[in-house]
């Protein structure tokens, strides 16, 4: 089965570090960029960034750059999202997603997130 | 960042209704526009990519239109399982952005 499996819910205190994971299976993990999307409680979706599993090339949201780090371990088909010092405002649901790229006969291409993980709930509270 | 503005923010509709949601980009994005459906407590699901192309497995009552800055998602004959929140997303720029969402609930 083609799927993304995410690590379980976390409860942390402000200032603590955290790494959550996203494991791909049923497809060629290196062939698709992985994206991360945040959803704060009761709010909409926020694109955080994407990472290329082949070479760890990354793109970060300007508002989140420096706040989180994306990484991958190709040997175990797993992507990671890491915080070194959590804040209460980091509380939310974090989704990983596979980036689909469809290429036309003319060379035009379109990208989207075609496969999503179930999400990891992160709660940061003192 | 490119701004994506959806309207309305919410709407109430009945089963069988035709529903249209619009999405406007702050700058032209060609047809690099996707639509997602999210149900409470679940991950989003891709409905439409490239503004008009139906993702595999998505019912044909969903359709997308538009290019440039103005886009729309239409659901013909709303079904009970379609009550959810819908998001547009632009992928024209390196840093993607989502609209704020449109919640469709039961009238």
């Amino acid at each position: 089965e083609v799927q993304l499996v995410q690590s379980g819910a976390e409860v942390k205190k402000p200032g603590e570090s955290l790494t959550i994971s996203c494991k791909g299976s049923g497809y060629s993990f290196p062939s698709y960029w992985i994206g991360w999307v945040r959803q704060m409680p009761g709010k909409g979706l926020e694109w955080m960034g994407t990472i290329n599993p082949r070479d760890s090339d990354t793109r970060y949201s300007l508002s989140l750059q420096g706040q989180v780090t994306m990484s991958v371990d190709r040997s175990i088909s797993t992507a990671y999202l890491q915080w070194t010092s959590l804040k209460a405002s980091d509380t939310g649901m974090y989704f990983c997603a596979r980036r689909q790229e469809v290429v036309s006969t003319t060379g035009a291409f379109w990208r989207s997130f075609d496969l999503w993980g179930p999400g990891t709930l992160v709660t940061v509270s003192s | 960042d490119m701004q994506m503005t959806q309207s309305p923010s919410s709407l109430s509709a009945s089963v069988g209704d035709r529903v249209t949601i619009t999405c406007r980009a702050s700058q032209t994005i060609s047809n690099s526009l996707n639509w997602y459906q999210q149900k409470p407590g679940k991950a989003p699901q891709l409905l439409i990519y490239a503004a008009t192309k139906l993702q595999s497995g998505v019912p044909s009552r969903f359709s997308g239109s538009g290019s440039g800055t103005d886009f729309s998602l239409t659901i013909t004959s709303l079904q009970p399982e379609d009550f959810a929140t819908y998001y547009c997303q632009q992928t024209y720029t390196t840093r993607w952005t989502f609209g704020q969402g449109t919640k469709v609930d039961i009238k």
Side-chain angles (χ1 to χ4, degrees), chain A:
Chain A
E1 182 186 359
V2 177
Q3 61 181 347
L4 294 171
V5 177
Q6 296 189 237
S7 49
E10 302 274 1
V11 179
K12 292 290 189 178
K13 290 181 167 42
E16 291 187 331
S17 63
L18 174 65
T19 299
I20 62 175
S21 66
C22 169
K23 182 176 175 62
S25 62
Y27 72 96
S28 172
F29 185 77
S31 298
Y32 297 82
W33 289 58
I34 291 289
W36 290 94
V37 174
R38 177 170 75 174
Q39 188 165 38
M40 299 170 78
K43 302 298 183 183
L45 305 174
E46 180 182 6
W47 183 85
M48 300 179 70
T50 53
I51 184 166
N52 184 350
R54 286 194 189 279
D55 59 8
S56 295
D57 187 17
T58 54
R59 304 284 185 271
Y60 288 96
S61 161
L62 290 177
S63 62
L64 291 170
Q65 194 150 13
Q67 309 302 308
V68 295
T69 302
M70 295 181 292
S71 62
V72 294
D73 184 338
R74 253 172 42 192
S75 68
I76 55 172
S77 301
T78 300
Y80 301 97
L81 186 65
Q82 179 183 23
W83 293 261
T84 56
S85 181
L86 286 160
K87 308 181 189 65
S89 58
D90 292 317
T91 293
M93 183 71 85
Y94 292 83
F95 296 100
C96 64
R98 185 180 76 172
R99 191 187 84 173
Q100 164 183 263
E101 183 169 290
V102 177
V103 184
S104 76
T105 53
T106 62
F109 61 88
W110 301 282
R111 294 169 174 159
S112 57
F113 287 142
D114 72 326
L115 176 70
W116 293 68
T120 295
L121 180 62
V122 174
T123 303
V124 184
S125 174
S126 55

Side-chain angles (χ1 to χ4, degrees), chain B residues 4-101:
Chain B
M4 306 300 293
T5 304
Q6 289 182 232
S7 61
S9 297
S10 64
L11 66 91
S12 296
S14 301
V15 172
D17 283 353
R18 179 186 179 94
V19 168
T20 298
I21 298 166
T22 64
C23 178
R24 174 165 288 178
S26 58
Q27 302 168 48
T28 183
I29 58 171
S30 185
N31 63 346
S32 298
L33 192 283
N34 306 319
W35 290 97
Y36 298 86
Q37 176 194 68
Q38 186 182 31
K39 296 179 180 178
K42 299 293 187 183
Q45 177 189 352
L46 178 65
L47 299 174
I48 301 285
Y49 68 95
T52 62
K53 300 181 189 304
L54 195 67
Q55 176 70 0
S56 177
V58 174
S60 59
R61 63 180 180 272
F62 292 93
S63 65
S65 65
S67 67
T69 59
D70 294 307
F71 303 87
S72 62
L73 172 71
T74 298
I75 312 170
T76 58
S77 190
L78 198 67
Q79 297 301 298
E81 59 269 29
D82 300 336
F83 292 96
T85 300
Y86 294 84
Y87 294 91
C88 63
Q89 176 200 43
Q90 70 81 19
T91 59
Y92 186 77
T93 60
T94 299
R95 294 172 172 86
W96 299 359
T97 44
F98 290 93
Q100 81 278 15

